[in-house]
Amino acid sequence: MNQDWPLFEVFVRGKRGLNHVHVGSLHAADERMALTHARDLYTRRNEGVSIWVVRSSDITASTPDEKDPFFEPSGDKVYRHPTFYDIPDDVPHI
Amino acid sequence: MTQTTTAAGPEAQDRLQAHFDGVIAHDRRIEPRDWMPDAYRGTLVRQIAQHAHSEIIGMQPEGAWITRAPSLRRKAILFAKVQDEAGHGLYLYAAAETLGVDRADLTRRLIEGRQKYSSIFNYPTLSFADVGVIGWLVDGAAICNQVPLCRSSFGPYARAMVRICKEESFHQRQGYELLLTMMRGTAAQRAMVQDAVDRWWWPSLMMFGPPDEASPNSARSMGWKIKRHSNDELRQRFVDMTVPQAEKLGVTLPDPELRWNPERGRHDFGTPDWDELKRVISGNGPCNEERVERRRRAHEDGAWVRRAAAAHAKKQAARQEAAREAGQDAGHTGTGSGADGRETR
Ligand SMILES: [Fe+2]
Ligand SMILES: [Fe+2]
């Protein structure tokens, strides 16, 4: 039997109002152990109020290169950004 | 997660290399799934693994004093410090694993003597003053080494270093405070501090590695921006940082050649015994065998725990699977609910 524990990715919410952020990974036998290990490893100084763990093998990722066609659909849509629109300087609050 | 270069034709290969070079030149970060030259990957694996091993082995010299700490306060501090070093080792193994190696395999290589760790941890801790001097000098030298690594070109390594550096400052300060306390004590306590400084000073200078002219891979690592400063530059910084701290403490650094050089605006200092460094690195320091043997024993003694936990996890998973097939709610296993409180299953 394989005694090497699987790899988990750890996400920590630093404080209320923030998203969970990926902080690293660790090995654990199961999800519950991954959570307690994550607490001991990544939040020894109150770095978080909430932790997610997920098996690394369960993560689906885009391909790495930022020039990848995967992100192309958003590349040419400049009109999604507020700076695309010319508004006269004397219009307030916009 | 690793990508090899074999699949790409020569032109694609040049494009990948050019992109990699561009990222480095623009001081951006390489991330694990990016293409990278095999030699860059190999250098990183070796450096990060050695660094991780150093943190793990580094628990031993100080850990030896946990049960003999002179007060509950010092015991709690030392415990927390040694626990941090375990954490540093784990952050770094995690960073190494993003390069496609396996932690269990790295541990095996350490135990079998196929991978090295910092020479400093092969010296014995003879008195409680050593705990203070390690915090002050050894963690101080580690800080000098590690702060520039926070800007290392490999993202996971740099991020691990940011986390580590935040914790190192506690390590250095607790050590220095411990020494200040002893220096305010009896003559015997002051003598203990001086003796520890005498023993640890030169090995601390050796932590920065051999002199630049004897460190052939340094230039390549600096070209890749894995490393940001040469060994000798970092050593000089450490000396300049430490001299005024030694004065405040009231100890003498055991180097007759150590003096301020007003022309350079830096301290001149003597040459460490590089033969000693070679001896200790190649396995013949005072404690090499003991350190690796202790690590091996801990690893082997823990084998049944790892096996038992894996067996338990497997059994639990099978039970959950069976419960799900029987149409029952398996949410009460204690694993908790998924992200944002949605039930996972
Ligand atoms: Fe450390
Ligand atoms: Fe440390």
Side-chain angles (χ1 to χ4, degrees), chain B residues 210-216 232 274:
Chain B
D212 291 348
E213 65 271 17
S215 180
D232 287 334
W274 297 125

Side-chain angles (χ1 to χ4, degrees), chain B residues 57 60-61 117-126 130 199-200 203 206 273 275-293:
Chain B
I57 295 286
Q60 291 184 34
Y117 55 88
S118 176
S119 57
I120 192 79
F121 302 117
N122 291 314
Y123 292 87
T125 39
L126 302 181
D130 288 34
R199 283 180 288 109
W200 289 94
M206 293 177 199
D273 180 350
D275 290 333
E276 176 181 328
L277 176 63
K278 255 183 233 155
R279 266 198 317 278
V280 177
I281 285 270
S282 57
N284 299 310
C287 301
N288 296 57
E289 255 173 67
E290 180 188 332
R291 301 288 187 241
V292 175
E293 170 57 19

Side-chain angles (χ1 to χ4, degrees), chain B residues 107-295:
Chain B
T107 299
R108 212 167 301 129
R109 287 194 227 175
L110 168 67
I111 290 170
E112 291 170 3
R114 290 187 285 136
Q115 270 179 344
K116 299 195 186 316
Y117 55 88
S118 176
S119 57
I120 192 79
F121 302 117
N122 291 314
Y123 292 87
T125 39
L126 302 181
S127 82
F128 195 71
D130 288 34
V131 170
V133 169
I134 288 179
W136 173 38
L137 295 181
V138 176
D139 288 272
I143 290 171
C144 270
N145 257 332
Q146 290 171 345
V147 167
L149 290 174
C150 296
R151 296 184 298 122
S152 178
S153 60
F154 186 58
Y157 190 32
R159 292 191 287 274
M161 293 319 309
V162 169
R163 198 167 265 286
I164 288 173
C165 285
K166 275 189 198 155
E167 301 181 348
E168 288 295 357
S169 146
F170 143 58
H171 297 178
Q172 196 187 22
R173 291 173 67 109
Q174 65 82 32
Y176 196 76
E177 187 226 46
L178 191 165
L179 297 175
L180 280 172
T181 309
M182 286 188 80
M183 291 303 281
R184 285 194 296 262
T186 63
Q189 286 174 312
R190 280 190 290 278
M192 274 168 75
V193 173
Q194 184 61 54
D195 171 63
V197 170
D198 290 345
R199 283 180 288 109
W200 289 94
W201 173 250
W202 291 108
S204 299
L205 291 190
M206 293 177 199
M207 283 177 71
F208 299 93
D212 291 348
E213 65 271 17
S215 180
N217 296 329
S218 251
R220 196 171 63 159
S221 279
M222 285 169 69
W224 279 328
K225 295 184 185 168
I226 294 175
K227 234 178 115 139
R228 294 282 180 162
H229 307 285
S230 78
N231 296 353
D232 287 334
E233 165 59 21
L234 291 168
R235 197 171 359 254
Q236 175 76 58
R237 282 187 191 186
F238 174 68
V239 172
D240 291 337
M241 237 176 59
T242 308
V243 168
Q245 296 169 349
E247 276 164 21
K248 274 264 175 281
L249 197 55
V251 295
T252 311
L253 297 173
D255 178 359
E257 293 173 56
L258 182 64
R259 63 180 58 84
W260 176 250
N261 180 330
E263 273 142 60
R264 289 202 307 130
R266 313 193 91 172
H267 292 86
D268 291 337
F269 56 98
T271 309
D273 180 350
W274 297 125
D275 290 333
E276 176 181 328
L277 176 63
K278 255 183 233 155
R279 266 198 317 278
V280 177
I281 285 270
S282 57
N284 299 310
C287 301
N288 296 57
E289 255 173 67
E290 180 188 332
R291 301 288 187 241
V292 175
E293 170 57 19
R294 173 103 189 262
R295 181 70 194 92

